[in-house]
Amino acid sequence: MPRPEPHVILFHSAASDPRWPDAIRRALPDFEVRTNLEGIAPEDVAAAVVWKHPPGMLAPLARLKLIQVIGAGVDHVFTDPFLPRHVPIARLVDPGLTARMSEYVLLHALALHRRMDETVRAQDERRWEFIAPAPPARTCVGILGLGHLGLACATTLRAMGFRVIGWSRTRKADLPFETYAGADGLAAFRNACDVLVLLLPLTAQTQGLVDSRFFDDLRAGAALINVGRGGLIEDDALLAALDDGRLRHAVLDVFRQEPLPADHPFWTHRRITVTPHNSSATDPDTAIEQVVENVRRAVSGERPLHLVDPSAGY
Ligand code: GLV
């Protein structure tokens, strides 16, 4: 007798919202949703819904039709040396995650624009330091990475009145703000920004992009917000740029090692704001529809939404 069609959805995430497995069960009642493979034949798994899966976990799933990552970034998927390369990989474009990310970037762009870092230091020293309020249009926020999240942040910042410019690896046409592209455009771009927002995927090309040279030709008083990945920045170069004044302040939500080790110098640096990778997160309430749609597409042979290009790494 031929094997029945794969009917299991394997869910793995040690860090996501604990409501995920039940949300998938409710939304896809025709599938069996499992958080491990005990008592299950690997070839019965149709789709894997994962966040930071252990290396090798997906290799034995011989009839897998979809690897659905429940997040925006997919860099960790490619750290699995046994990744089944023929299976489509999809990321989520979650309206909830996008909205929270835009809020976070707006929050910190406003704080940097209003020089809250200096106001907090003045309070620590009981100093009455009047910093005149200025209109947001006088601050240029530069977004590195013009994917879905970068564009959403640009819209929110522009609605607040900021001047926004953007940089991407390849040129993006028809955007309602000034853009720069490629290695050639990077120097002019970073020289124009008062606040730089890192929203790039972590790939072989972007690893360590923010290095000592990057800080050399920033505008005086420039600040940085990293909501992409820790690996985009060379940590020592960042500390040196803060210490010698090339960079005024850094807001860091992502790190090379997470959780950030207790003895890491970022924790106590006066010019660094640390947040625990909570700028945003996938919300099952707003993201489940896309998982359902992608499983439906994958099992019926259609192209899933928001496919990742393995050769580009994002
Ligand atoms: C979070 O870091 C994500 O990539 O969704």
Side-chain angles (χ1 to χ4, degrees):
M1 239 192 31
R3 278 202 88 83
E5 279 300 300
H7 58 281
V8 173
I9 295 178
L10 179 64
F11 176 85
H12 176 90
S13 171
S16 305
D17 190 310
R19 293 175 300 155
W20 265 110
D22 278 342
I24 303 171
R25 268 183 206 110
R26 273 197 305 276
L28 287 164
D30 295 341
F31 288 84
E32 189 179 342
V33 178
R34 300 289 304 255
T35 53
N36 60 61
L37 281 177
E38 263 167 53
I40 291 285
E43 54 273 34
D44 285 343
V45 178
V49 179
V50 293
W51 180 252
K52 297 194 177 172
H53 70 274
M57 188 186 92
L58 307 173
L61 312 178
R63 293 196 293 168
L64 192 64
K65 294 181 162 67
L66 172 69
I67 299 169
Q68 175 68 63
V69 178
I70 47 168
V74 293
D75 42 293
H76 49 87
V77 176
F78 294 107
T79 61
D80 179 354
F82 310 105
L83 187 69
R85 294 267 164 183
H86 59 284
V87 181
I89 303 168
R91 74 157 63 75
L92 280 183
V93 175
D94 167 21
L97 182 142
T98 306
R100 300 295 82 74
M101 181 59 85
S102 301
E103 290 157 12
Y104 181 98
V105 169
L106 176 62
L107 168 75
H108 290 285
L110 275 172
L112 291 164
H113 163 70
R114 296 295 293 257
R115 308 186 85 84
M116 281 305 296
D117 47 318
E118 289 168 30
T119 303
V120 167
R121 271 199 299 279
Q123 180 177 352
D124 283 349
E125 293 159 18
R126 300 175 185 228
R127 242 183 327 104
W128 184 270
E129 186 175 316
F130 180 81
I131 297 170
R138 277 198 217 148
T139 291
C140 177
V141 183
I143 301 180
L144 285 104
L146 299 174
H148 183 79
L149 291 176
L151 292 179
C153 291
T155 303
T156 304
L157 292 162
R158 292 178 80 234
M160 189 69 229
F162 283 105
R163 174 167 177 243
V164 172
I165 62 174
W167 180 86
S168 52
R169 203 169 53 93
T170 53
R171 183 161 293 287
K172 297 265 176 325
D174 298 331
L175 291 178
F177 53 88
E178 196 182 338
T179 57
Y180 298 72
D184 293 347
L186 191 56
F189 166 83
R190 62 189 180 223
N191 188 248
C193 301
D194 298 300
V195 177
L196 293 109
V197 180
L198 299 182
L199 259 168
L200 291 162
L202 184 64
T203 66
Q205 278 73 39
T206 62
Q207 174 80 246
L209 179 84
V210 180
D211 57 7
S212 186
R213 254 177 320 144
F214 185 96
F215 293 115
D216 280 347
D217 47 13
L218 293 185
R219 267 189 181 186
L224 180 85
I225 300 173
N226 188 10
V227 278
R229 285 290 183 262
L232 297 172
I233 296 182
E234 296 292 349
D235 289 0
D236 289 343
L238 174 73
L239 288 167
L242 288 164
D243 290 342
D244 65 24
R246 278 173 294 161
L247 190 67
R248 184 180 107 220
H249 196 86
V251 176
L252 306 176
D253 185 53
V254 285
F255 305 91
R256 285 178 176 262
Q257 189 184 339
E258 295 182 8
L260 186 64
D263 61 353
H264 198 287
F266 287 172
W267 279 116
T268 49
H269 200 288
R270 281 159 48 89
R271 296 183 181 276
I272 293 180
T273 302
V274 168
T275 59
H277 200 147
N278 70 347
S279 53
S280 191
T282 308
D283 181 344
D285 290 341
T286 50
I288 190 69
E289 251 177 56
Q290 208 172 101
V291 174
V292 171
E293 176 63 11
N294 266 359
V295 170
R296 186 195 69 71
R297 285 175 179 240
V299 297
S300 60
E302 289 172 50
R303 188 182 158 83
L305 301 169
H306 308 303
L307 279 183
V308 169
D309 172 2
S311 66
Y314 65 96

